[in-house]
DNA sequence: ACGCACATGTAAGCCGTTACATGATTAC
DNA sequence: GTAATCATGTAACGGCTTACATGTGCGT
């Protein structure tokens, strides 16, 4: 039920329409929580039924009408209680790494192209985050608390993207060396030597 | 359908039982793909129905009987085709960062304790990965290709955990400064100045 | 007339989580 | 006897993905 709380957290400071929330999730929230348009509209309906948010129809003349949602006292209370509870790390399910693991089965050019593509993706996000950082988070010591907490989430996004770029770089470097000389479809030999190791 | 392919990739080099696969997923695969016991057994049944793997009952006297699964030629072909296709980055849904965003709503001690807890978690995983690295990935240039590709996935895990530790450290440092002087339940003021910014 | 930004929905199906369930063998 | 490891399942539920669907108002 964390999507609900991510929405609540976004509604604390100002009333927002579903359409605007979708944009927020695509833009500034995406670095730590992704949600689709369909998910968001459904969750808004649930939250309203539950009384944690209240929607208000706003008639607009220059645009289609919209519905503005505000967090209710009950919603704020629920959010605070949820924030105070411990949470587990997110599960990781990264297709690219499954493909890297099986990379010896295909033409090395395939993996190299894919890692290169990922590098460009993360590099673009990183540059965007840096622009946001420069434009909106300069005088942090003078900024209000919510903004300082928000900066912490941006820092996570920056680190995450930079780290991916660095992994792509070291992987590309390796691919340009050893792997380029290998023949595709190389017969796999026993390589899982570390199978016996366990996580405490 | 990537769990299926993660399983296929694990079965290429050797026949494995469901029980062993569960352990593999908890230990060496967890750094890029997490799956529960229930998921794995269900997926093994589906893969066998589809003809991508073949199971064989093995009678054991010193232990309960087990079922060994092998990848079939059709399964290997399917895996190769899947690996050759491009894949999107994984979706991130990190509860901790939603809580950090709303951190100004609660006692600063709550967030600090939670970030500290996360730091210890990632630090422990990092140390484990480093042990695996030293024990099993020393002579990489002489190692067979599959092992070298596998090392790339371990490197991703090492980087990921180290990056989290570093973010926790910089966040804790900040929390020990500014945030400790703030009163809990501070009234939120307009802080979402960067709402207008868009991701290309 | 057409495309774009704005604005909000429905529905099917798959995947993952949670809870429950059973049983064999070894070691203490 | 009882805990730990080995070994394999079933079932309900909820969340996420994918595809489809509708309509307004502005600018060119």
């Amino acid at each position: 039920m964390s999507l609900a709380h991510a929405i609540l957290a976004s509604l604390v400071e100002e009333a927002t329409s579903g359409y605007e929330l979708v944009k927020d999730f695509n833009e500034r929230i995406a670095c730590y929580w992704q949600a689709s348009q369909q998910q968001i509209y459904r969750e808004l309906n649930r939250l309203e039924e539950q009384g944690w948010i209240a929607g208000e129809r706003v008639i607009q003349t220059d645009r289609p009408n919209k519905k503005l949602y505000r967090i209710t006292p009950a919603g704020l209370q629920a959010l605070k209680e949820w924030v105070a509870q411990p949470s587990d790390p997110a599960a990781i399910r990264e297709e690219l790494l499954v493909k890297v693991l099986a990379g010896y089965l295909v033409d090395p050019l395939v993996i190299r192209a894919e890692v290169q593509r990922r590098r460009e993706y993360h590099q673009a996000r990183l540059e965007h985050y840096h622009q946001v950082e420069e434009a909106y988070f300069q005088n942090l010591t003078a900024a209000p608390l919510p903004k300082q907490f928000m900066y912490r989430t941006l820092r996570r996004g920056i680190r995450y993207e930079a780290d991916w770029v660095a992994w792509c770089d070291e992987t590309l470097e390796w691919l340009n060396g050893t792997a380029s000389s290998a023949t595709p479809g190389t017969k796999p030999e026993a390589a899982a030597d570390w199978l016996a190791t366990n996580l405490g």
Side-chain angles (χ1 to χ4, degrees), chain A residues 133-162:
Chain A
E133 186 181 34
E134 282 175 30
Y136 298 96
F137 293 98
Q138 292 206 45
N139 291 332
L140 269 178
T141 48
L145 255 197
K147 185 166 182 169
Q148 295 193 40
F149 275 98
M150 195 184 291
Y151 181 61
R152 289 284 99 216
T153 68
L154 178 64
R155 278 296 298 167
R156 187 71 203 101
I158 288 173
R159 280 198 157 280
Y160 181 79
E161 304 300 342

Side-chain angles (χ1 to χ4, degrees), chain A residues 102-112 174-175 177-189:
Chain A
Y104 61 90
L105 296 172
V106 299
D107 188 332
L109 289 174
V110 167
I111 300 294
R112 180 149 51 221
W174 169 71
L175 283 168
T178 318
S180 61
S181 57
T183 47
T186 300
K187 185 172 180 190
E189 315 186 23

Side-chain angles (χ1 to χ4, degrees), chain A residues 70-195:
Chain A
R70 278 169 226 282
I71 194 168
T72 63
L76 187 60
Q77 182 60 28
L79 176 61
K80 284 180 183 176
E81 283 166 13
W82 178 80
V83 169
Q85 281 169 357
S87 54
D88 290 331
I92 308 168
R93 294 191 180 91
E94 192 69 62
E95 285 193 4
L96 179 61
L97 290 182
V98 178
K99 293 183 179 184
V100 167
L101 183 75
Y104 61 90
L105 296 172
V106 299
D107 188 332
L109 289 174
V110 167
I111 300 294
R112 180 149 51 221
E114 192 63 4
V115 173
Q116 183 66 46
R117 214 169 64 89
R118 275 299 284 270
R119 190 200 184 279
E120 279 156 22
Y121 170 85
H122 291 297
Q123 180 65 35
R125 310 251 338 163
L126 178 59
E127 279 166 19
H128 170 70
Y129 289 152
H130 272 142
Q131 282 171 18
V132 171
E133 186 181 34
E134 282 175 30
Y136 298 96
F137 293 98
Q138 292 206 45
N139 291 332
L140 269 178
T141 48
L145 255 197
K147 185 166 182 169
Q148 295 193 40
F149 275 98
M150 195 184 291
Y151 181 61
R152 289 284 99 216
T153 68
L154 178 64
R155 278 296 298 167
R156 187 71 203 101
I158 288 173
R159 280 198 157 280
Y160 181 79
E161 304 300 342
D163 188 53
W164 260 105
V165 170
W167 178 86
C168 288
D169 281 340
E170 67 177 52
T171 299
L172 285 168
E173 196 179 341
W174 169 71
L175 283 168
N176 287 334
T178 318
S180 61
S181 57
T183 47
T186 300
K187 185 172 180 190
E189 315 186 23
D193 293 357
W194 62 318
L195 268 163

